[in-house]
Amino acid sequence: MHRPRRNRQTPAIRAMVRETTLAPADFILPLFLHEDAVDTPIAAMPGVTRWSLENLVREAGAAHALGIPAVVLFPKIDESLKSPQAREASNDNGLVPRAIRAIKAAHPTLCVITDVALDPYNSDGHDGIVRRNARGELTILNDETVDVLCQQALCHARAGADIVAPSDMMDGRVAAIRDALDAEDFTNVLILSYTAKYASAFYGPFRGALDSMPKEGDKTTYQMDPANSREAVRETLLDEAEGADMLMVKPAGLYLDIIAKVRETTTLPVAAYQVSGEYLMLKSAAAGGWLDERAIVLESLVAIKRAGASMILTYFAKEAATWLINESTGERATHSINSR
Ligand code: PBG
């Protein structure tokens, strides 16, 4: 008789046959920041904070000390600095460039990733530049937006960003950003492309956190239709050909099939973003006492990694890293007791 349970008998055997393991180095911590000197808790994301510049640097250092290799920055821009052309996005003295410089000065070995998209800077709240056509309908201009994204990516590179991550879903932006970076000798700056970014309702809490929701319309003419998976393969092939260094799927937990498909399609490293709505679902189930937080979070993360993501952007990065560290020191303690 076949007895698969033999391989599940003891913690030691299970540890040997385990196919997927999590480590702090798998995580990338998204961090929110603003111009204020005081931190603000984000209402729809319990436990997540929008940081002042000073405390952002401290928080980035705390994450790095836990073994988390990278942070990704998301700014809340003052309403007065937003404009239809999103000019503030490439201001060398803007919030993001100052944050990059401050983090790199304090924690030079921490990898700093920046979001390249116009929504926090755009008075229309879209990732691209908006124009009204003759019928009065809203259109998101592709090529004009890509020019501005290149300026934004260059601005981040000049400030010292290690990786720029275009999350806008405009066509052709990876190739254009690569050319722009190379032309200014930023050949070592990586591009982590949001390759398969879906038009998801699970971004709701994030847009609240940054006050960056579209003033009109939605993002369905540039972000992908949740009903599509072959289209993710098409985007993967394009981003690879355009010179992306890493690809991302977003959201993560409900899109494991997409992660697996992208993983099979490319030889590039694949990242997945466990987004704000996923965080909120897990957090509220735990806060209600309905589900065990540590267990559901680690299970959600191992599932994302099992599907094929080697990097996971998650608001749980610090907690998960702490749990994993405690677990491994706990296991070592158990082992030494057993072997005595
Ligand atoms: C902006 C951006 C969004 C997220 C990351 N970058 C929001 C959006 O596209 O509307 C969502 C992240 C999250 O929900 O945690 N381009």
Side-chain angles (χ1 to χ4, degrees):
M1 187 176 158
H2 291 284
R3 295 189 183 275
R5 287 185 55 196
R6 270 200 296 269
N7 282 350
R8 303 179 200 136
Q9 282 177 79
T10 65
I13 293 171
R14 288 196 296 274
M16 281 191 287
V17 302
R18 187 162 296 130
E19 298 174 33
T20 310
T21 53
L22 287 172
D26 299 332
F27 307 134
I28 296 172
L29 176 65
L31 290 171
F32 297 111
L33 65 149
H34 59 197
E35 202 66 72
D36 307 7
V38 282
D39 305 327
T40 309
I42 294 168
M45 299 178 71
V48 178
T49 302
R50 215 167 52 221
W51 302 101
S52 67
L53 209 49
E54 193 183 334
N55 288 331
L56 175 84
V57 174
R58 200 185 37 70
E59 182 69 2
H64 198 29
L66 290 168
I68 294 165
V71 295
V72 54
L73 305 181
F74 294 104
K76 180 179 193 289
I77 300 299
D78 283 343
E79 211 54 44
S80 64
L81 295 173
K82 298 186 184 183
S83 67
Q85 300 299 319
R87 292 217 197 286
E88 180 63 15
S90 55
N91 174 2
D92 284 323
N93 290 313
L95 183 58
V96 167
R98 275 182 283 131
I100 299 167
R101 288 193 289 264
I103 293 174
K104 290 306 279 188
H107 315 292
T109 56
L110 177 64
C111 178
V112 175
I113 307 176
T114 58
D115 195 65
V116 175
L118 304 186
D119 49 329
Y121 304 93
N122 184 325
S123 41
D124 298 293
H126 277 282
D127 292 23
I129 293 173
V130 171
R131 185 171 295 162
R132 235 167 247 293
N133 66 16
R135 289 192 299 281
E137 296 156 353
L138 221 59
T139 55
I140 312 298
L141 303 179
N142 194 88
D143 301 4
E144 292 80 348
T145 297
V146 170
D147 289 342
V148 183
L149 295 173
C150 288
Q151 294 311 312
Q152 185 181 21
L154 281 172
C155 165
H156 296 171
R158 280 192 295 271
D162 299 283
I163 303 181
V164 293
S167 70
D168 55 287
M169 291 302 279
M170 296 300 120
D171 294 331
R173 93 278 209 213
V174 171
I177 291 172
R178 184 72 269 158
D179 283 349
L181 290 171
D182 290 352
E184 306 266 325
D185 274 347
F186 294 115
T187 51
N188 287 336
V189 173
L190 289 83
I191 299 178
L192 163 58
S193 176
Y194 286 66
T195 294
K197 178 173 177 180
Y198 286 86
S200 172
F202 287 89
Y203 306 152
F206 175 99
R207 292 177 191 170
L210 297 184
D211 209 1
S212 66
M213 35 289 209
K215 297 282 180 317
E216 191 185 326
D218 57 31
K219 300 192 175 185
T220 48
T221 68
Y222 45 106
Q223 298 181 349
M224 286 175 54
D225 183 342
N228 292 355
S229 94
R230 287 189 295 270
E231 198 179 342
V233 174
R234 185 180 186 202
E235 291 282 5
T236 299
L237 296 172
L238 286 171
D239 279 358
E240 198 172 65
E242 289 184 34
D245 300 286
M246 303 165 161
L247 308 182
M248 195 196 301
V249 174
K250 176 186 175 184
L254 295 168
Y255 292 78
L256 298 180
D257 57 326
I258 307 298
I259 297 173
K261 214 161 196 169
V262 170
R263 177 63 289 160
E264 283 166 19
T265 306
T266 184
T267 57
L268 296 173
V270 175
Y273 197 146
Q274 183 179 54
V275 300
S276 55
E278 298 178 76
Y279 175 85
L280 176 63
M281 281 202 302
L282 296 169
K283 206 65 185 179
S284 10
W290 301 107
L291 293 171
D292 173 350
E293 179 166 2
R294 181 184 172 284
I296 58 172
V297 170
L298 290 177
E299 184 176 335
S300 73
L301 295 170
V302 87
I304 292 165
K305 192 164 179 200
R306 187 197 64 229
S310 33
M311 297 167 277
I312 307 173
L313 290 85
T314 173
Y315 301 98
F316 288 112
K318 278 179 65 200
E319 288 92 327
T322 307
W323 289 324
L324 293 169
I325 290 165
N326 291 342
E327 196 171 88
S328 66
T329 51
E331 257 163 37
R332 245 178 277 140
T334 319
H335 178 74
S336 59
I337 291 163
N338 291 347
S339 59
R340 237 181 276 141

